[in-house]
Amino acid sequence: MKDKKTIIVFLITYCLIASTAIAGHHTEEGFFTRDANGDGVVSKGEYLVSTEKKFKQMDSNSDGEIDRAEYENSMSKWKKKHKKYHSNE
């Protein structure tokens, strides 16, 4: 069970990092989205809140876990949303 949670945390972190690194404006957009109080820095608390929101979005059946189908569905939606940046995939 601990290994499963580690994998889930890794995948979520990877998704968040990848989603903000695709293009320059996404990096800026991701930063300002996470900077909830607008003070120009993202605190650990702000980052964790944004991570929790992303986890809840990915956990479509709200069971507190992201299975492979939920992960793949989330990645598919993300790629469709950012299609112009993934035209070579």
Side-chain angles (χ1 to χ4, degrees):
M1 185 68 152
K2 186 175 182 178
D3 289 337
K4 187 176 182 180
K5 288 182 181 181
T6 301
I7 291 169
I8 290 170
V9 169
F10 170 77
L11 291 174
I12 292 170
T13 303
Y14 175 81
C15 289
L16 289 170
I17 291 169
S19 69
T20 58
I22 294 298
H25 78 275
H26 284 293
T27 301
E28 187 172 315
E29 178 183 310
F31 179 83
F32 289 114
T33 299
R34 288 172 179 81
D35 182 18
N37 63 4
D39 66 354
V41 297
V42 177
S43 69
K44 182 178 179 180
E46 289 170 322
Y47 183 82
L48 293 175
V49 166
S50 69
T51 303
E52 180 68 24
K53 287 179 184 177
K54 182 63 179 171
F55 185 91
K56 286 180 181 179
Q57 289 173 348
M58 293 176 75
D59 183 18
S60 60
N61 63 2
S62 301
D63 67 353
E65 299 178 339
I66 299 170
D67 61 30
R68 186 162 188 89
E70 289 170 318
Y71 174 76
E72 290 175 358
N73 183 47
S74 178
M75 291 306 296
S76 176
K77 287 179 182 177
W78 185 86
K79 284 183 179 183
K80 285 178 185 174
K81 182 177 178 183
H82 299 92
K83 188 175 183 173
K84 64 182 173 181
Y85 302 108
H86 295 279
S87 59
N88 61 345
E89 291 183 19

